[in-house]
Amino acid sequence: GIQVEQSPPDLILQEGANSTLRCNFSDSVNNLQWFHQNPWGQLINLFYIPSGTKQNGRLSATTVATERYSLLYISSSQTTDSGVYFCAVSNTGGFKTIFGAGTRLFVKA
Amino acid sequence: DVKVTQSSRYLVKRTGEKVFLECVQDMDHENMFWYRQDPGLGLRLIYFSYDVKMKEKGDIPEGYSVSREKKERFSLILESASTNQTSMYLCASSKRTGWDRNEQFFGPGTRLTVL
């Protein structure tokens, strides 16, 4: 099955700093999502981005499907950005979604 | 706005009890999913359903069953709860057609503790 690797596993930032999170996947995919899991456990949808680039405020994402990776950019980080960021992919009609292990982000005030 | 709700945020049960976790979505999605999340193991798919009364096993179905009698509701059942089923349970839904088909939306989760 598809393997999903996220890096870095942990990241500590000073408030206001920028960061790039990476997601590598081992096979072609039809779907790719980025989620933020907040401290209460809720998974919040950030991007649905099987290819191309999208932006939403301070966050943007790029997926290069032919090279099997996706990047999540966080600019001017805030303490509320803390949490775990997951990348999730699927290629079989969406039923079997494979999640990466996540990047744990802590933003210091 | 897609909304997925789960019946409880926190639940404490005794070993051997029958446990029902309910999930409801209000966006007419065909697909619904149950995952559990454990430290170091990530999110693992327990069961999914692509239509009413249809169900498919995920990666870790043992000890669980599901029910989908109505399109908007997907229930996870622990027939006889055990301590190793203490976990965070997450429900999700997605639609089957459209450019954004299979984009999954999650509920807030249920933290289940089995004593």
Side-chain angles (χ1 to χ4, degrees):
Chain A
I2 302 176
Q3 306 295 316
V4 180
E5 291 185 2
Q6 291 186 242
S7 60
D10 297 282
L11 189 57
I12 300 175
L13 297 176
Q14 194 67 44
E15 197 169 29
N18 302 329
S19 62
T20 301
L21 281 57
R22 187 175 180 104
C23 172
N24 291 333
F25 41 95
S26 61
D27 203 348
S28 60
V29 298
N30 296 329
N31 306 295
L32 189 145
Q33 288 186 254
W34 283 98
F35 295 93
H36 174 216
Q37 188 167 39
N38 64 24
W40 296 271
Q42 171 101 49
L43 278 164
I44 309 297
N45 290 46
L46 297 178
F47 294 102
Y48 177 72
I49 187 167
S51 64
T53 297
K54 291 185 177 180
Q55 178 151 10
N56 184 3
R58 296 181 295 103
L59 273 59
S60 64
T62 295
T63 296
V64 184
T66 53
E67 297 187 22
R68 299 180 184 169
Y69 73 89
S70 184
L71 302 173
L72 178 68
Y73 306 96
I74 304 174
S75 64
S76 304
S77 57
Q78 301 175 357
T79 56
T80 51
D81 294 332
S82 297
V84 184
Y85 290 80
F86 289 101
C87 168
V89 305
S90 65
N91 69 354
T92 56
F95 295 145
K96 284 298 187 78
T97 298
I98 310 300
F99 285 78
T103 291
R104 186 175 300 275
L105 173 65
F106 179 67
V107 181
K108 298 188 293 184
Chain B
D1 237 13
V2 176
K3 192 161 185 184
V4 181
T5 57
Q6 296 183 227
S7 49
S8 306
R9 291 301 304 272
Y10 299 94
L11 207 53
V12 180
K13 295 292 182 181
R14 297 276 179 197
T15 301
E17 279 192 80
K18 190 168 186 175
V19 181
F20 293 87
L21 302 183
E22 304 285 338
C23 176
V24 178
Q25 50 93 5
D26 67 357
M27 287 304 291
D28 203 36
H29 285 176
E30 291 85 4
N31 305 325
M32 296 189 75
F33 308 82
W34 275 106
Y35 295 87
R36 64 177 283 177
Q37 184 179 23
D38 301 285
L41 297 176
L43 276 86
R44 295 178 290 168
L45 181 65
I46 305 171
Y47 267 97
F48 65 92
S49 168
Y50 53 88
D51 205 346
V52 176
K53 296 193 184 295
M54 305 304 290
K55 60 184 179 184
E56 294 286 342
K57 293 180 180 179
D59 299 317
I60 50 163
E62 296 78 19
Y64 303 95
S65 62
V66 291
S67 171
R68 189 144 180 225
E69 296 297 319
K70 293 185 177 181
K71 190 175 185 179
E72 67 271 18
R73 188 180 298 269
F74 192 36
S75 303
L76 180 69
I77 303 154
L78 287 65
E79 294 289 343
S80 178
S82 63
T83 55
N84 62 13
Q85 293 179 309
T86 292
S87 186
M88 173 69 139
Y89 289 88
L90 293 159
C91 174
S93 71
S94 67
K95 56 184 180 180
R96 201 189 304 155
T97 58
W99 68 270
D100 56 349
R101 63 187 180 279
N102 300 319
E103 179 182 7
Q104 293 194 16
F105 294 86
F106 281 82
T110 297
R111 289 191 185 275
L112 172 67
T113 301
V114 182
L115 302 175

